[in-house]
């Protein structure tokens, strides 16, 4: 039984640059690259209303589950695609269609169709001012729903 070791290939070397060449390159790079101009960022204006804070992304709506975990809830701002879809689903529901029939017509799950309706109701509640008391300017998280654990039967 014999073992062989592979030889490492010889490292390739470049011819050494003369000092004058490297000095010329350094001088050329300094001349070509002006100092980068720092972009001035406008300070983010603090929102004055809850709707403005949600629309600009300065705040988010939360549901706190019974075990203490948080779930973010979307705010469907006026004029967004999500809002338009939710309003279309709500219109179909008002016309008497079931949630299952709406889900099949839109090719989405029943849970998604239900979420459209629930999220639109939340957006209407926010716009009506029902959650303004829960929001303080500068607050990033607004709890709009808390799930309470069911007590076991004795």
């Amino acid at each position: 039984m014999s073992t062989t070791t592979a030889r490492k290939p010889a490292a390739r070397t470049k011819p050494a640059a003369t000092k004058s060449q490297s000095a010329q390159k350094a001088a050329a790079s300094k001349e070509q690259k002006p100092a980068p101009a720092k972009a001035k960022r406008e300070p983010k204006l603090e929102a004055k209303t809850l709707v403005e804070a949600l629309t600009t992304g300065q705040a988010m709506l939360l549901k706190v589950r019974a075990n203490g975990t948080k779930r973010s809830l979307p705010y469907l701002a006026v004029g967004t695609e999500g809002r338009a879809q939710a309003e279309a689903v709500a219109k179909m529901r008002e016309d008497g269609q079931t949630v299952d029939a709406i889900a099949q017509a839109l090719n989405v799950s029943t849970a998604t169709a239900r979420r459209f309706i629930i999220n639109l109701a939340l957006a209407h509640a926010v716009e009506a001012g029902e959650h303004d008391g829960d929001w303080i300017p500068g607050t990033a998280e607004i709890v709009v729903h808390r799930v309470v654990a069911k007590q076991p039967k004795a």
Side-chain angles (χ1 to χ4, degrees):
M1 183 163 144
S2 66
T3 58
T4 59
T5 57
R7 290 182 51 179
K8 292 183 181 179
R12 296 185 185 193
T13 59
K14 294 181 182 177
T18 62
K19 289 184 181 182
S20 62
Q21 287 176 340
S22 59
Q24 289 173 355
K25 286 181 182 178
S29 66
K30 288 181 183 177
E31 292 173 9
Q32 292 174 356
K33 296 180 183 177
K38 292 184 179 179
K40 291 184 181 179
R41 282 190 172 176
E42 293 183 26
K44 201 173 198 181
L45 298 176
E46 192 162 324
K48 293 179 176 64
T49 64
L50 175 57
V51 172
E52 185 181 337
L54 293 170
T55 304
T56 59
Q58 295 177 20
M60 62 189 288
L61 302 172
L62 293 177
K63 170 185 180 177
V64 178
R65 297 181 180 121
N67 64 1
T69 59
K70 298 176 183 177
R71 180 179 187 275
S72 65
L73 301 172
Y75 170 66
L76 303 176
V78 177
T80 61
E81 184 180 334
R83 178 72 172 243
Q85 289 175 334
E87 287 173 344
V89 169
K91 176 74 171 123
M92 294 168 83
R93 185 75 178 118
E94 286 174 8
D95 292 341
Q97 292 188 30
T98 64
V99 175
D100 288 329
I102 294 169
Q104 286 179 350
L106 298 176
N107 199 23
V108 296
S109 69
T110 304
T112 300
R114 192 176 307 116
R115 279 188 211 107
F116 278 127
I117 297 167
I118 292 168
N119 293 338
L120 183 62
L122 176 61
H124 286 204
V126 167
E127 290 160 4
E130 293 179 24
H131 298 287
D132 286 347
D134 301 331
W135 179 71
I136 300 168
T139 305
E141 297 179 342
I142 298 96
V143 177
V144 294
H145 184 69
R146 254 181 224 283
V147 179
V148 180
K150 293 181 181 178
Q151 298 298 324
K153 294 182 181 180

